Amino acid sequence: MTCRSLSILVTGAAGYIGSALVRELLAQGRRVTAVDSMLFGDRALAELAHHPRLQILRMDIRGLRREHLTGMQALIDLAGLSSDPVSELDPSWNGLAHHHAQVRLARLARSCGVSRHLLISSCDVYGQRPGQSLNELTPPHPLTRHAHGVLHTEAAVLPLAGDGFAPVVLRLGQVFGRSARMRFDLTINAMTLSALRLRSVTLDQGGQRRRAHLHVRDAVSALTAVLDAPVNNISRQIFDISHLTLCTAEIAEALRQTLGSHLRIVVDGAAPDPHDLAPEGRKAHDLLGFRPQVSLREGLEEVLAGLDHGAITDSPETHAARWVHEILALGREIRATVSTPSGLHPAASIRSGTGQALRLQ
């Protein structure tokens, strides 16, 4: 069986990275099972619903069983919490629905003969390291609930390596750019939206807030590079995946060059940012042949063009923390009147800006 004929299960498949990944895997001729609770809607995969090599499972990862994983050669787990603000909304839900579920899924994958397990993590595990170049040997120093959570999951999954099971962790920088399921709560995308709609961007920390960024297509490229790499190069390995280390002042200046000098840049002061870090990414280059390609300017232009032409919109579900907060609030209202199993959220439905019903289970 060639690498490109692999059967791959992707969790979080209707998400920002997941929806772009599914399209690339199909374009490469792979067979894909896309799993997503559709918490943020299913529009990102709707046009692919009848693709002959794609199966879409609308379900929480806690519902995955042996029959879903049997015959899969790889599992790409994108179902973790996406950001610090989302992690802070409900700590108990964070632990139940993500850490425990992801570790359970890794163990299940191993027992079902899945050979490669790609766990998506975050460069945020390094904490605040101003001016310091980081690599995978740098001791983590997580400062937020999200960073602690993903590091905890890494520590539980990587030791499962062996007996034909190769887990690998990819610590991503913050992603930007256009996707079928947009997010406008990420730094570069949020600044781009503000620049276009308000003709203004506001910079805290004097515009010196600095972190690693990565275009969504480059994130997908890194994931497919792991699928194609020799198993000895990836098993129980951690890879930092990033491209551009930028401060917000540099992003604002790139936006001004793209949109014109009339863009107003407001510099504000605030507390130090816990994400001042610069991963090297040399290991991914050496072992995976990963070379990010998409420039900041290209990413800005595609999002601006999409907004201008109405191909992408600033709808409620494009702001993850705000969207999840509304769902959790509704769930708490229901729990106040309905008895549910310990630790589990009841089914709750709300409607997005498109009128599409969503369910949280």
Side-chain angles (χ1 to χ4, degrees), residues 88-314:
E88 295 295 334
L89 291 174
D90 189 326
S92 62
W93 180 58
N94 174 9
L96 173 69
H98 295 87
H99 169 72
H100 297 307
Q102 288 186 287
V103 175
R104 169 196 169 272
L105 184 57
R107 291 172 177 157
L108 182 61
R110 173 174 171 161
S111 72
C112 291
V114 176
S115 60
R116 298 180 188 228
H117 179 107
L118 285 62
L119 177 68
I120 309 309
S121 183
S122 169
C123 289
D124 289 351
V125 299
Y126 295 116
Q128 188 176 14
R129 308 288 178 90
Q132 181 180 344
S133 184
L134 310 172
N135 59 47
E136 294 82 355
L137 297 178
T138 303
H141 185 59
L143 299 176
T144 65
R145 190 185 304 279
H146 176 244
H148 277 283
V150 295
L151 188 62
H152 193 36
T153 304
E154 288 182 16
V157 170
L158 286 177
L160 299 175
D163 298 327
F165 182 67
V168 55
V169 167
L170 290 89
R171 293 174 176 168
L172 303 185
Q174 192 178 100
V175 184
F176 70 98
R178 181 171 170 176
S179 173
R181 207 290 274 183
M182 277 303 297
R183 285 187 60 187
F184 285 110
D185 55 345
L186 302 171
T187 300
I188 293 179
N189 290 350
M191 291 176 67
T192 304
L193 179 67
S194 178
L196 182 65
R197 295 288 169 80
L198 305 177
R199 291 294 190 249
S200 172
V201 292
T202 300
L203 311 179
D204 54 13
Q205 289 95 43
Q208 298 309 302
R209 187 176 68 184
R210 184 170 174 266
R211 69 176 302 164
H213 297 275
L214 176 75
H215 192 277
V216 63
R217 289 200 300 275
D218 284 328
V220 167
S221 176
L223 291 167
T224 58
V226 172
L227 293 177
D228 290 336
V231 71
N232 290 339
N233 285 4
I234 64 166
S235 185
R236 206 171 180 174
Q237 295 294 322
I238 296 172
F239 293 98
D240 293 335
I241 306 294
S242 65
H243 182 203
L244 306 164
T245 300
L246 301 165
C247 65
T248 52
E250 292 171 314
I251 299 167
E253 183 55 36
L255 282 164
R256 176 142 55 188
Q257 291 175 11
T258 303
L259 286 170
S261 58
H262 58 278
L263 177 66
R264 180 169 174 257
I265 299 175
V266 180
V267 180
D268 195 6
D273 180 64
H275 304 302
D276 193 329
L277 45 88
E280 293 176 354
R282 192 173 303 158
K283 182 177 176 182
H285 178 278
D286 294 344
L287 293 185
L288 302 177
F290 170 65
R291 295 171 178 81
Q293 302 292 323
V294 187
S295 69
L296 173 62
R297 182 69 174 262
E298 186 177 352
L300 297 178
E301 288 177 346
E302 67 183 13
V303 172
L304 289 168
L307 287 167
D308 261 341
H309 301 141
I312 55 178
T313 58
D314 173 27

